[in-house]
């Protein structure tokens, strides 16, 4: 199993944001985590990335494993560099004062072998041709959709094989959203494992193989996408009837 | 008359070089940590003393030629001063950062670190002033009819070379990119596989190394050292950095030279006791008109 989360409790000071969730993602899968605002989706992803407080929980209990090995003692930069896991964070968080190209270059900072760098850059520019056109542009001047592409491109440049996406479709026009999902599909076909957090449950479930439904810190439903799309409870609460 | 003006311009450039070199250290650290490293002026003082001890040792060591001694103490002073800066970061700032301490406590800690450096110096070496040995014989060089001392010229040239190099590092290298990136958004740095602490250590090393270089150049130009020599010049360089727009390299440069010029011009036209009053008043007026500093953008709250 690529990722295993076991009975994870997460605390921000006194608030417990996750009350013992368990989930797993296998190599090559697309798994989605859906849930309402404040359900704990971002908390889950930030815990997996081992981000430090204040953006991630102060304390966690339970275990997080990558390929069977606990990663609780591993700092974020090593999760990225050594375990090849990447996060495209909520709100993109690109470096607005750097150019597009500099953002992409920075993500290669910690790569040990630089031989397939050009190839990865090609891949990013093939997936997102707009980035190639704007490579010299200061990135805070990109449109929201282009910024999202840059955030994804940046994750890809870190040489990841497992990518966590936190609401990538937020604020995107439907056409751009389709473009983005198409890119993710292509990545997955080339072997990328994806854990997708979305508020738009219908879109996410149609895209993913499996899903988990998170409700105020607990997983309340899980299964294949078809199963969840047809689950009366899920339909009522997350798919609008 | 004409020659007097030229001399004043060179003096202003020389003092501007000192201020700018020190201001860069405030600026770099602020850019990366949003911390005003109030110990930085005293790191400059430590640099001057390190240069003094290195020079005295090497002179005492026998018959090394002076140019060789100079060639040795420039890098050695910079490296040792870097280590002092990095040590302060490790011992004082990092633990507070880890514990998520309030900004105010970090600033107070920085002030205390500076005072500790001053008083450690005082306690260990006593209150007596030290005079820096002569390594380079003062000579006047002629540049297209303008005369200037070799040392003054060297200070100015070195400062400009440093800015060009620094600008290259910041704009072209990956570590420079990371420094700019971390000042924009700290959060995403580890997500790029970059250990943030490495960037912070590099920044302190760089800023302190430049303060060490400034200390050495200053000691060679004005060869009297005392434990408090970093306090006033440190404050002034800090103000210069803020006036330039702290966090911006160009700001530190322009702010430093601006202060140099204002001071020298004030002395040229008023009694010398008016110098600091006039200089600070002008800087205050600039900040009053443009609170973010000349090159600054108001992205972050500033202390
Ligand atoms: N940095 C933080 N400090 C303190 N509490 C936090 C922090 N981040 C999240 N929380 C709390 O933890 C709970 C889960 O938040 P989280 O951001 O994980 O939700 P989410 O599912 O990602 O929501 P959204 O869909 O709005 O992004 C919420 O109650 C939130 O208030
Ligand atoms: Mg969220």
């Amino acid at each position: 199993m690529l990722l295993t989360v076991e009975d994870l409790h997460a605390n921000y000071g006194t608030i417990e944001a996750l009350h013992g969730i368990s989930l797993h993602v296998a190599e090559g899968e697309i798994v989605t985590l859906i849930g309402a605002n404040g359900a704990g989706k971002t908390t889950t992803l930030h815990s997996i990335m081992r981000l430090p407080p204040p953006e991630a929980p102060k304390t966690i209990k339970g275990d997080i494993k990558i390929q069977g090995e606990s990663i609780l003692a591993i700092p974020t930069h090593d999760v990225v560099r050594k375990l090849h896991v990447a996060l495209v964070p909520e709100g993109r968080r690109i470096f607005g004062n750097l150019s597009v190209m500099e953002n992409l270059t920075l993500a290669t900072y910690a790569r040990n072998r630089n031989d397939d760098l050009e190839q990865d850059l090609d891949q990013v520019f093939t997936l997102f041709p707009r980035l190639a056109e704007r490579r010299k542009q200061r990135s805070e001047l990109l449109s929201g959709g282009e910024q999202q592409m840059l955030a994804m491109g940046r994750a890809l440049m870190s040489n990841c094989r497992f990518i966590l996406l936190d609401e990538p479709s937020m604020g995107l026009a439907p056409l751009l959203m389709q473009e983005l999902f198409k890119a993710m599909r292509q990545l997955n076909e080339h072997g990328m494992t994806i854990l997708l957090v979305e508020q738009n449950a219908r879109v996410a479930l149609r895209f993913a193989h499996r899903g988990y439904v998170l409700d105020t810190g607990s997983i309340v439903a899980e299964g294949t996408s078809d199963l969840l799309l047809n689950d009366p409870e899920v339909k009522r609460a997350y798919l609008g009837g | 008359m004409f020659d007097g003006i030229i001399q004043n311009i060179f003096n202003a450039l020389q003092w501007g070089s000192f201020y700018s070199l020190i201001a860069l250290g405030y600026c770099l650290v602020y850019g990366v940590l949003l911390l005003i490293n109030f110990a930085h002026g005293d790191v400059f003082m430590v640099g001057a003393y390190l240069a003094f001890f290195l020079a005295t040792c090497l002179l005492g060591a026998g018959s090394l030629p002076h140019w060789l001694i100079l060639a040795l103490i420039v890098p050695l002073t910079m490296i040792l001063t870097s280590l002092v800066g990095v040590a302060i970061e490790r011992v004082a700032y990092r633990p507070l950062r880890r514990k998520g301490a309030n900004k105010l406590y970090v600033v107070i800690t920085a002030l205390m670190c500076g005072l500790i450096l001053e008083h450690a110096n005082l306690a260990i070496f006593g209150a007596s002033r030290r005079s820096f040995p002569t390594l380079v014989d003062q000579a006047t060089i002629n540049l297209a009819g303008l005369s200037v001392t070799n040392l003054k010229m060297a200070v100015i040239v070195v400062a400009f070379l440093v800015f060009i190099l620094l600008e290259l590092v910041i704009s072209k290298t990956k570590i420079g990119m990371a420094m700019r990136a971390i000042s924009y958004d700290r959060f995403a740095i580890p997500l790029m596989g970059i250990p943030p602490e490495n960037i912070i250590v590099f920044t302190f090393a760089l800023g302190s190394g430049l303060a060490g270089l400034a200390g050495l150049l200053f000691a060679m130009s004005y060869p009297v050292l005392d434990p408090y020599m970093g306090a006033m010049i440190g404050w002034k360089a800090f103000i210069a950095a803020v006036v330039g727009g702290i966090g911006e390299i160009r700001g530190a440069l322009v702010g430093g030279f601006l202060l140099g010029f204002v001071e020298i011009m004030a002395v040229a036209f008023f009694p010398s006791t008016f110098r600091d009053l006039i200089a600070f008043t002008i800087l205050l007026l600039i900040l009053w008109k443009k609170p973010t500093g000349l090159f600054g953008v108001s992205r972050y709250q500033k202390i």
Side-chain angles (χ1 to χ4, degrees), chain B residues 31-63:
Chain B
V32 166
L33 283 182
L34 297 189
L35 159 72
I36 293 177
N37 179 15
F38 280 120
H40 191 64
D42 295 299
V43 171
F44 158 84
M45 175 276 290
V46 170
Y49 271 81
L50 285 169
F52 166 78
F53 288 118
L54 286 166
T56 327
C57 277
L58 290 171
L59 281 171
S63 50

Side-chain angles (χ1 to χ4, degrees), chain A residues 13-174:
Chain A
T14 52
I15 317 161
E16 188 172 83
L18 297 175
H19 315 299
I21 66 163
S22 297
L23 58 87
H24 60 88
V25 179
E27 197 104 33
E29 261 193 317
I30 303 177
V31 174
T32 183
L33 186 60
I34 57 182
N37 286 115
K41 305 181 295 295
T42 301
T43 303
T44 307
L45 296 190
H46 286 191
S47 303
I48 296 170
M49 291 310 294
R50 311 301 311 119
L51 280 162
E55 262 106 353
K58 267 218 180 76
T59 52
I60 62 175
K61 273 190 296 190
D63 208 354
I64 301 168
K65 293 176 181 162
I66 296 283
Q67 287 188 313
E69 302 262 345
S70 174
I71 61 166
L72 292 188
I74 298 181
T76 305
H77 56 265
D78 282 336
V79 172
V80 176
R81 183 163 54 172
K82 301 207 175 121
L83 304 175
H84 306 285
V85 183
L87 169 69
V88 179
E90 188 170 16
R92 297 151 197 149
R93 307 297 283 260
I94 56 167
F95 301 111
N97 59 340
L98 305 190
S99 71
V100 168
M101 198 58 199
E102 285 175 332
N103 266 279
L104 296 173
T105 311
L106 195 60
T108 67
Y109 187 93
R111 283 171 73 145
N112 352 17
R113 295 184 312 121
N114 281 354
D115 43 26
D116 41 7
L117 210 106
E118 285 299 316
Q119 196 187 322
D120 281 8
L121 195 62
D122 278 350
Q123 184 199 20
V124 169
F125 285 156
T126 317
L127 278 176
F128 308 115
R130 289 147 181 270
L131 291 185
E133 290 162 28
R134 288 165 177 68
R135 68 174 84 191
K136 293 252 166 65
Q137 189 165 323
R138 196 178 154 94
S139 59
E140 65 192 351
L141 302 176
L142 296 175
S143 76
E146 289 160 353
Q147 289 189 9
Q148 188 63 54
M149 292 174 187
L150 180 56
M152 274 186 74
R154 199 173 63 164
L156 297 177
M157 291 307 286
S158 74
N159 199 15
C160 61
R161 57 190 175 132
F162 181 21
I163 190 166
L164 317 179
L165 295 137
D166 199 345
E167 306 203 21
S169 70
M170 191 161 52
L172 296 194

